[in-house]
Amino acid sequence: MSNNAIIKRLDTGVPGLNEILGGGLPEFSFNIIAGPPGSGKTTLAHQMMFALATEEKPAIFFTVLGEPPLKMLRYQQQFAFFDKGAIGRSVHFINLSEQMQSGDLRAVLARIVEVVETHGPGLVFVDSFRAVVIASRTDAPTSMGLQQFVQELGMLMTNWQATTFLIGEYFSENEPNPVFTVSDGLIWLRQNLDRNSIVRKIEIIKMRGQASLPGQHTFRIGSAGLQIFPPAQVSVQGAELPGPPEGPPLGMGVPGLDEMMGGGLPRGYSLLVAGPSGSGKSILASQFLAEGARCGEKSVIASFEQRPRLSRNRIVADLIDSGDVGLIRAQQCDLSVDEVTALLLMEIRRLGATRVVLDSLTGFELMVAPEFADTYRQSLARMVGAVVSTGVSVLMTSELEDRYTDLRFSPYGAAFLTDAIIVQRYIEVDSRLLRVMAVVKVRAAAHSNELRQFVINDQGICIGEPMPEYRGLLGGRPERADQGDAGTRIRD
């Protein structure tokens, strides 16, 4: 039998924060919330405070700045997590500005001790602790040093069984600071200007006793407060991977295409539809969604285009209005891959969706924040892997430049991520541009290798008979078989 101490982990009430902390916030821990002005430190503290405070274990929020708590509360009331009824019952605000003016940290600590002993809180917040640091530099002979103040405060809070947060404006975690050393947890918030947009990130630099998720994680501040987007966990090492979803292949909604694919799109597969502008990629995707609705299935679209093409399609617009298809508009230039993935997974769970369309990978590559540009394929692999792991089938479109001399499936070799590939091309025959389609790959399926001409009319895509025996159809200007060898270069 183990005699190890068991540390309770508190539910912070902040979406995504428990995951990056490693399961929640350790109870009775002594924590620092740090970052530059405007990064969201106070909002994060209030969001946790209102989620965790109870009348039995109330929260005390000490303010050490000159402005009264009333001014701060005026702005915090705009968030959905704010509970006006909790003020004075489970949440208490105490202003320490009078003690801070003397520059005597002993007086500050004495006031904190007095209030804590009166209320017996389970949570204690001190904002802004940066002001305490400045006050510690006073030459008053009775003043205690900063390190002594922090150590005594941490010891008192642990003895009182209170979870404590010091909130301060810091610009670098590398600066020598006794507060960072003494603390059990160090939560760092950042904000950067990215293409005229503010990108906010949070990092758990230290959290004693548990394995927090490393790295910087994107978050947003909305009307509900902070929402953090941790990386999707596709699988856990040592865990048994789920098998492919059961059931017959999904119909594509294009007459003749299921037959070309060997029976349709197997469930849980990812499909890449590649082709030049105007070749019919989005129309094929819309028929795929309409077929799902006809079969009673729910679907999700993630549009990465500045002007969403699928949402302008009347068929898809009706499906969105009816609730059969959920639309995620992901056109902001500051989105992270983890944020897009989180939005997709939430919508898939909400609808119980079986089909997902990503339109398009070209727009996705332009949308991804600059720090992910050099790892485009890794970012895409992470997103597709997380979505497919839920059991849905994914159709992705990719716009390519039709060079008529070689065949590409994606601009950055993303074809290796997919289980199936359909390519659409233009060919010139008798001074006319014709559309052709071929199924290049469907894993573990006996798909057709025929090249089919197709047209687009009021019914959508209509596939015709196999093309006559031409050579070089995919690689350039076609030539009949009896006109000599005309090779074609096929490149991923």
Side-chain angles (χ1 to χ4, degrees):
M1 181 176 180
S2 175
N3 294 322
N4 294 341
I6 298 176
I7 299 177
K8 180 181 177 182
R9 295 177 179 177
L10 304 176
D11 183 353
T12 62
V14 180
L17 182 55
N18 292 339
E19 288 82 352
I20 67 172
L21 285 172
L25 183 71
E27 191 176 29
F28 311 143
S29 57
F30 191 75
N31 306 283
I32 308 294
I33 301 177
S39 57
K41 301 181 299 298
T42 301
T43 302
L44 173 62
H46 277 89
Q47 193 168 349
M48 289 191 290
M49 179 176 66
F50 281 102
L52 292 170
T54 64
E55 291 190 44
E56 294 74 22
K57 287 291 185 180
I60 297 179
F61 198 99
F62 291 102
T63 60
V64 298
L65 299 177
E67 62 179 16
L70 185 62
K71 181 179 180 181
M72 176 180 58
L73 291 177
R74 178 185 178 189
Y75 293 102
Q76 292 299 315
Q77 288 182 44
Q78 310 307 312
F79 293 106
F81 61 76
F82 188 89
D83 182 5
K84 187 176 181 180
I87 306 299
R89 292 191 298 107
S90 59
V91 174
H92 304 275
F93 287 89
I94 306 295
N95 195 337
L96 295 177
S97 59
E98 182 178 343
Q99 287 76 24
M100 288 300 303
Q101 288 175 0
S102 67
D104 187 356
L105 293 187
R106 291 186 186 278
V108 176
L109 186 61
R111 176 59 174 156
I112 292 175
V113 169
E114 177 188 349
V115 174
V116 169
E117 289 181 344
T118 300
H119 294 281
L123 299 162
V124 174
F125 298 82
V126 181
D127 184 18
S128 156
F129 192 71
R130 188 71 170 178
V132 177
V133 175
I134 296 174
S136 69
R137 299 168 183 166
T138 181
D139 295 329
T142 59
S143 179
M144 66 194 307
L146 175 62
Q147 186 165 357
Q148 183 183 355
F149 175 85
V150 173
Q151 288 175 340
E152 289 195 22
L153 179 61
M155 182 179 62
L156 288 170
M157 294 306 165
T158 302
N159 292 338
W160 284 322
Q161 295 189 332
T163 306
T164 307
F165 299 87
L166 306 184
I167 306 164
E169 295 179 355
Y170 297 96
F171 297 90
S172 173
E173 64 272 28
N174 297 320
E175 62 181 84
N177 195 316
V179 181
F180 298 164
T181 304
V182 174
S183 67
D184 301 312
L186 180 54
I187 302 173
W188 207 282
L189 279 65
R190 295 178 170 85
Q191 60 178 4
N192 301 306
L193 183 64
D194 174 19
R195 289 181 289 192
N196 206 33
S197 298
I198 292 295
V199 178
R200 303 180 188 271
K201 295 191 176 183
I202 185 170
E203 182 179 5
I204 310 301
I205 294 179
K206 177 170 75 169
M207 190 57 60
R208 285 174 176 159
Q210 58 194 53
S212 58
L213 287 182
Q216 299 181 16
H217 310 283
T218 306
F219 73 93
R220 287 190 181 273
I221 301 178
S223 60
L226 271 73
Q227 181 177 5
I228 300 169
F229 303 97
Q233 302 299 305
V234 178
S235 62
V236 180
Q237 187 174 7
E240 184 178 351
L241 294 176
E246 297 181 356
L250 300 178
M252 295 298 298
V254 177
L257 184 55
D258 291 349
E259 180 182 356
M260 292 176 63
M261 298 180 67
L265 181 64
R267 294 179 183 270
Y269 268 37
S270 56
L271 166 65
L272 175 65
V273 180
S277 177
S279 60
K281 302 181 298 297
S282 294
I283 294 176
L284 193 155
S286 67
Q287 290 182 248
F288 176 71
L289 294 173
E291 177 66 11
R294 190 187 69 80
C295 297
E297 301 173 3
K298 302 291 186 180
S299 305
V300 176
I301 300 172
S303 175
F304 303 113
E305 303 289 341
Q306 290 297 327
R307 297 180 61 196
R309 294 173 293 177
L310 283 177
S311 61
R312 299 201 308 271
N313 183 298
R314 188 65 260 166
I315 297 176
V316 178
D318 290 342
L319 293 173
I320 294 172
D321 292 340
S322 67
D324 290 315
V325 173
L327 174 62
I328 295 176
R329 297 185 181 275
Q331 293 88 42
Q332 299 100 309
C333 64
D334 59 342
L335 287 173
S336 71
V337 176
D338 293 327
E339 183 172 356
V340 175
T341 304
L343 293 173
L344 278 169
L345 295 178
M346 286 189 291
E347 191 69 0
I348 290 169
R349 287 191 291 264
R350 184 183 73 84
L351 293 175
T354 58
R355 302 177 182 223
V356 170
V357 167
L358 307 180
D359 186 51
S360 66
L361 297 189
T362 307
F364 172 76
E365 189 264 337
L366 294 174
M367 173 276 305
V368 170
E371 61 264 35
F372 296 106
D374 294 336
T375 58
Y376 170 75
R377 292 205 300 173
Q378 293 92 325
S379 302
L380 181 61
R382 189 164 72 250
M383 181 178 69
V384 174
V387 173
V388 170
S389 68
T390 65
V392 302
S393 301
V394 181
L395 185 152
M396 302 172 283
T397 66
S398 178
E399 185 163 316
L400 306 175
E401 178 185 356
D402 200 336
R403 302 179 181 179
Y404 299 96
T405 57
D406 61 359
L407 176 62
R408 296 172 181 264
F409 302 137
S410 59
Y412 295 105
F416 78 99
L417 296 171
T418 63
D419 304 301
I421 298 175
I422 294 175
V423 63
Q424 299 172 336
R425 296 298 303 269
Y426 292 114
I427 63 170
E428 179 186 347
V429 176
D430 297 332
S431 299
R432 296 174 56 200
L433 279 180
L434 305 180
R435 294 184 175 95
V436 296
M437 178 188 301
V439 177
V440 177
K441 175 177 77 170
V442 180
R443 286 177 177 154
H447 63 86
S448 169
N449 61 358
E450 294 176 334
L451 190 67
R452 297 284 193 99
Q453 181 182 347
F454 70 95
V455 296
I456 300 175
N457 56 29
D458 293 341
Q459 304 302 315
I461 291 178
C462 295
I463 298 177
E465 296 297 321
M467 292 293 295
E469 186 177 351
Y470 285 96
R471 295 185 179 182
L473 277 174
L474 288 179
R477 185 185 180 96
E479 298 179 0
R480 290 192 179 274
D482 57 1
Q483 292 180 331
D485 293 331
T488 176
R489 291 186 293 154
I490 301 180
R491 189 187 313 173
D492 181 6

